Amino acid sequence: MGDPIEVHDLHVRYGATHAVRGVSLSVRAGEVYAMLGHNGAGKTSTVEVLEGHRRAASGTVRILGHDPGSDDAAVGRELRDRVGIVLQSS
């Protein structure tokens, strides 16, 4: 398995709006990673894809070796069990 978070050429679209254009990043074990940017920069859309709450239009995303957008229920369960998420609002 590679880095815990691996993203290559991520694109997210909402209809005609291209919200995320070609984001690539990797986060190694033990690292802390912060995304900074102005409103509408695509930070939330990117994180939603990493969490498995939104599907990417294109690109590859691997979290702990798994695709968070997978339709495989076992993959979703394993990621939820291993990844802690704090939502913006509850």
Side-chain angles (χ1 to χ4, degrees):
M1 176 171 31
D3 294 330
I5 300 174
E6 297 176 340
V7 179
H8 179 70
D9 199 27
L10 176 65
H11 291 260
V12 178
R13 293 182 180 85
Y14 300 94
T17 302
H18 202 156
V20 177
R21 294 178 185 260
V23 168
S24 295
L25 63 96
S26 63
V27 181
R28 293 183 297 216
E31 285 186 327
V32 175
Y33 188 91
M35 287 192 292
L36 304 174
H38 59 81
N39 289 345
K43 301 175 302 289
T44 299
S45 297
T46 299
V47 171
E48 287 174 346
V49 171
L50 299 178
E51 296 169 343
H53 293 297
R54 179 168 310 285
R55 287 196 183 264
S58 63
T60 58
V61 177
R62 305 297 286 176
I63 305 296
L64 302 171
H66 300 285
D67 175 1
S70 171
D71 289 329
D72 184 339
V75 168
R77 241 185 338 273
E78 180 176 345
L79 286 176
R80 279 191 303 278
D81 289 347
R82 295 185 64 199
V83 175
I85 297 172
V86 177
L87 302 176
Q88 292 186 64
S89 61
S90 57

